Amino acid sequence: MVNEASSRKRFIIDFDDTLAKVNAKIFVKNKGKESVLTPAEFAVYSPKSGDVFNFREFNSIIKTAAPIKTNIDLLKKAASDPATKTTILTARLMGYPVKRYLKKNFNLDVYIVALGDANPQKKADYIEKEIKKGYNDIVFIDDSYKNVQAVEALQIKYPNVNLKVTHTTEAEHIKF
């Protein structure tokens, strides 16, 4: 466990279906056929050989989104704590739409890391880099169980880090 006096805190949270349910789709092309997935469907989708993903709707300004109040409140609390470095960690290619949405709707100016990759290991790699920088008290919240599992695996590698990983499913209950 981490000593409070020597604690270096990070609050890292996903955006899509974690902070807000966005009306955007993922397009999957395989053998000339294109299908469409919601972010929730993508979170549990098992890629098939030949799948090519297109996240084009995630690169534009967010027009329709339903905020997930509980997680927005957690973000506000973390962002207001000067001892906590707060980050939105998203698979999106571009962070600007997320930054604009949070600023416009909640007056939050939070650091955004856009990975441009939906591979769960990329989120775990980012968090591992933060651990290596000396952060030892980390909260990670995501709606994708695959992302949660990838980050949870770090607990074995770094037993002295207080790593609280939460799988949130609140977006499932939000309808447009």
Side-chain angles (χ1 to χ4, degrees), residues 1-174:
M1 211 28 86
V2 176
N3 178 331
E4 189 68 32
S6 63
S7 176
R8 291 195 64 208
K9 296 180 182 182
R10 290 297 317 258
F11 180 86
I12 302 169
I13 189 165
D14 175 53
F15 181 75
D16 291 288
D17 280 2
T18 301
L19 285 171
K21 186 167 184 174
V22 179
N23 192 12
K25 306 287 187 266
I26 298 106
F27 299 87
V28 185
K29 202 168 205 171
N30 195 323
K31 298 178 184 166
K33 288 185 179 178
E34 188 173 72
S35 55
V36 180
L37 299 172
T38 66
E41 291 167 336
F42 181 76
V44 297
Y45 182 77
S46 295
K48 292 158 188 59
S49 178
D51 278 354
V52 176
F53 298 98
N54 184 318
F55 296 87
R56 62 185 176 252
E57 290 189 359
F58 292 86
N59 295 332
S60 58
I61 298 301
I62 299 167
K63 294 179 182 139
T64 307
I68 299 170
K69 186 179 180 340
T70 306
N71 293 342
I72 291 286
D73 289 345
L74 288 172
L75 175 63
K76 286 178 181 177
K77 183 177 179 189
S80 70
D81 178 2
T84 302
K85 182 175 178 187
T86 304
T87 301
I88 308 298
L89 184 61
T90 179
R92 288 172 175 252
L93 180 63
M94 297 169 52
Y96 177 74
V98 172
K99 191 162 193 69
R100 184 178 183 274
Y101 171 80
L102 292 172
K103 183 71 173 165
K104 181 179 175 191
N105 293 284
F106 305 100
N107 198 29
L108 283 168
D109 188 12
V110 180
Y111 183 61
I112 313 284
V113 174
L115 296 171
D117 194 324
N119 178 344
Q121 190 58 47
K122 298 297 182 182
K123 288 193 176 185
D125 291 348
Y126 175 83
I127 291 171
E128 184 170 26
K129 284 180 192 166
E130 297 304 296
I131 291 169
K132 288 178 177 179
K133 289 179 185 175
Y135 289 97
N136 55 10
D137 191 355
I138 300 170
V139 171
F140 173 70
I141 303 172
D142 202 304
D143 70 292
S144 166
Y145 191 62
K146 293 176 201 173
N147 294 341
V148 165
Q149 286 180 308
V151 172
E152 279 179 335
L154 293 171
Q155 290 178 321
I156 295 162
K157 195 171 179 181
Y158 300 98
N160 294 329
V161 172
N162 182 19
L163 182 59
K164 182 178 179 197
V165 180
T166 302
H167 179 229
T168 184
T169 57
E170 294 205 31
E172 295 171 7
H173 309 293
I174 296 174

